[in-house]
């Protein structure tokens, strides 16, 4: 037992973070830090797993074998990301069962982006290009998050996400160099995925309740708005290269700031979606509940096997 007062422990904790040292699972940490990490890491894990659904929708309809193999591998990678992240969250003292329960009862959030439908094959291109593109910008920062298990999980995830982003962009290049109809499909996908992708970075800094604590604890090393700006600056030239138009009439290069200016996000839509009322929220949750129920016999069999082995060993 430590003889230090709570105040002294908090000071030491913050000094460690300020010195860019990792906080590890057995280290003393503030309850608020633990709570907020569980909140963010589990939201992230759920996003990876729910994110498999809109993409899996196209595995059987991919236009050729090469595309099917690429998409299958990507969807499998997302399951792996979910596993790394659930494991990282478990090191903070919460069980996998409780985490899943929070998702399946609708208590836990997951990324807004996965509550939109993937209507055409071009959506698979747009998801890789924009959604994985946005995810990487956020997650490169998280590789340096102060909690060791989270930061280490992010390193591996980022490597795979950058491959996903490229496969998505390559689909967009192929469509945009194809027939007029294919290019129109790519434009339509950009129209529908642009604003939801912009929302992935979370509310504006001034309206983000968790940002100041998360920044003080060096979980977030850059702000929601700064990351969103980086996304716009990176993606607009890519859209120009593709010859398609970002659906924002306020989008304009600003020579003074050396950044693109852009229009206002529809925050009412964002709040509706993250509070369970987006176009696909119910469908996504029902699919996860069904998968969980269908998988019960596998979990039961695994527990029974482990118990039998334990009894034999005793
Ligand atoms: N969607 O104070 P704020 C992926 C919530 S998937 C839903 O700024 P924070 C991928 C926020 O939770 C990408 N909810 O919060 C997978 C909070 O609500 P609560 C997933 C959102 O945490 C498959 C409230 O709004 N990436 O990579 O400081 C295929 C106030 O927000 C969202 C991650 O999860 C949103 N977009 O910052 C392809 C990254 N934004 O908890 C790709 C890790 C905000 O108070 N997470 N909310 O009820 C983060 O970096 C941060 O949690 C966020 C939000 C930047 C998302």
């Amino acid at each position: 037992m430590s003889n230090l007062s709570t105040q002294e422990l908090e000071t030491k904790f913050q000094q460690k973070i300020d010195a860019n040292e990792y906080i590890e699972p057995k280290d003393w940490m503030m309850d608020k830090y633990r709570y907020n990490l569980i909140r963010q890491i589990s939201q992230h894990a759920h996003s990876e797993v729910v994110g498999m659904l809109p993409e899996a929708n196209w595995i059987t309809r991919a236009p050729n074998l090469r595309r099917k193999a690429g998409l299958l591998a990507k969807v499998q990678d997302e399951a792996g990301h979910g596993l790394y992240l659930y494991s990282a969250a478990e090191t903070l003292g919460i069980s996998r069962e409780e985490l899943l329960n929070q998702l399946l009862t609708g208590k836990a959030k997951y990324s807004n982006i996965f509550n939109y439908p993937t209507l055409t094959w071009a959506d698979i291109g747009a998801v890789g290009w924009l959604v994985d593109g946005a995810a990487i910008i956020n997650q490169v920062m998280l590789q340096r998050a102060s909690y060791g298990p989270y930061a280490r999980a992010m390193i591996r995830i980022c490597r795979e996400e950058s491959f996903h982003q490229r496969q998505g962009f390559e689909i967009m290049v192929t469509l945009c160099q194809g027939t007029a109809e294919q290019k129109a499909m790519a434009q339509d996908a950009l129209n529908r995925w642009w604003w939801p992708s912009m929302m992935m970075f979370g509310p504006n800094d001034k309206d983000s309740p968790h940002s100041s604590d998360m920044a003080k604890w060096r979980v977030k090393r850059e702000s929601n708005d700064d990351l969103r700006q980086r996304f716009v600056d990176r993606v607009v030239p890519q859209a120009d290269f593709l010859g398609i138009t970002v659906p924002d009439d306020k989008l304009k290069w600003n020579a003074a700031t050396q950044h693109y200016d852009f229009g206002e996000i529809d925050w009412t839509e964002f709040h509706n979606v993250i509070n369970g009322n987006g176009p696909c929220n119910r469908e996504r949750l029902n699919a996860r509940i069904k998968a969980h129920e269908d998988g019960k016999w596998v979990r039961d069999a695994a527990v029974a096997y482990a118990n039998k082995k334990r009894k034999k060993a005793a």
Side-chain angles (χ1 to χ4, degrees):
M1 263 306 263
S2 164
N3 292 324
L4 299 178
S5 68
T6 307
Q7 183 61 50
E8 286 165 330
L9 286 165
E10 281 183 15
T11 305
K12 278 191 85 162
F13 166 78
Q14 190 61 46
Q15 279 168 348
K16 207 167 169 185
I17 289 175
D18 293 343
N20 278 326
E21 284 176 38
Y22 284 128
I23 304 295
E24 295 296 343
K26 291 197 172 134
D27 293 345
W28 185 91
M29 63 184 86
M30 288 172 71
D31 288 344
K32 255 177 98 177
Y33 177 81
R34 187 186 299 278
Y35 171 83
N36 273 289
L37 273 173
I38 292 176
R39 180 186 64 78
Q40 174 165 328
I41 300 173
S42 62
Q43 174 186 316
H44 195 164
H46 302 324
S47 305
E48 299 283 354
V49 171
V50 177
M52 294 164 76
L53 297 169
E55 297 197 282
N57 185 33
W58 280 90
I59 290 174
T60 54
R61 291 178 287 162
N64 59 46
L65 185 59
R66 176 170 166 264
R67 293 296 188 204
K68 191 195 282 271
L71 183 57
L72 257 176
K74 180 179 194 287
V75 173
Q76 269 183 336
D77 285 351
E78 311 300 1
H81 299 173
L83 288 179
Y84 310 152
L85 290 164
Y86 282 127
S87 301
E90 283 175 295
T91 65
L92 289 157
I94 186 161
S95 69
R96 180 85 55 104
E97 204 179 6
E98 174 59 19
L99 292 168
L100 288 178
N101 190 44
Q102 290 176 357
L103 171 68
L104 300 178
T105 55
K107 205 174 139 208
K109 290 195 170 69
Y110 57 85
S111 182
N112 68 299
I113 196 76
F114 300 117
N115 293 303
Y116 293 87
T118 41
L119 301 177
T120 72
W121 172 251
D123 288 17
I124 298 303
V127 167
W129 172 37
L130 300 173
V131 174
D132 287 273
I136 290 170
I137 287 178
N138 172 276
Q139 291 169 11
V140 162
M141 160 189 86
L142 294 172
Q143 292 181 119
R144 293 181 295 127
S146 59
Y147 188 57
Y150 191 30
R152 289 189 286 273
M154 291 318 306
I155 291 171
R156 192 150 168 194
I157 293 176
C158 279
R159 291 212 180 115
E160 292 175 350
E161 298 287 28
S162 67
F163 169 77
H164 297 170
Q165 191 273 346
R166 276 173 226 169
Q167 71 93 39
F169 190 66
E170 201 225 344
I171 292 174
M172 296 302 278
V173 171
T174 306
L175 291 173
C176 289
Q177 291 176 352
T179 62
E181 202 184 338
Q182 284 173 316
K183 191 161 180 184
M185 241 165 78
Q187 178 66 61
D188 173 58
L190 172 57
N191 292 348
R192 286 181 291 105
W193 289 93
W194 175 255
W195 289 108
S197 301
M198 291 282 279
M199 295 172 192
M200 283 177 70
F201 298 93
N204 288 138
D205 295 346
K206 64 177 175 37
D207 302 317
S208 159
H210 301 299
S211 275
S212 73
D213 277 343
M214 293 309 247
K216 185 177 76 192
W217 297 325
R218 299 198 183 182
V219 176
K220 262 186 181 173
R221 286 172 177 265
E222 290 180 85
S223 81
N224 296 1
D225 286 334
D226 287 350
L227 294 172
R228 188 167 14 247
Q229 182 69 58
R230 184 168 308 147
F231 172 74
V232 176
D233 291 346
R234 190 170 295 175
V235 169
V236 173
Q238 294 170 343
D240 290 345
F241 173 82
L242 293 170
I244 50 181
T245 311
V246 171
D248 177 357
D249 54 16
K250 300 229 166 58
L251 188 75
K252 199 165 156 253
W253 176 250
N254 182 331
T257 61
Q258 291 288 298
H259 293 292
Y260 284 93
D261 293 336
F262 52 88
E264 186 59 25
I265 288 171
D266 180 349
W267 292 113
T268 307
E269 174 180 329
F270 172 77
H271 287 293
N272 274 336
V273 171
I274 70 171
N275 289 317
N277 300 313
C280 298
N281 294 62
R282 280 169 198 82
E283 186 185 330
R284 299 287 182 247
L285 216 52
N286 287 339
R288 287 311 317 156
I289 291 168
K290 181 172 183 316
H292 192 70
E293 285 168 359
D294 289 350
K296 184 175 182 305
W297 71 271
V298 181
R299 294 191 298 278
D300 289 347
V303 169
Y305 180 71
N307 284 344
K308 198 172 164 194
K309 260 185 103 175
R310 206 173 301 127
K311 260 192 204 153
K312 240 184 168 177

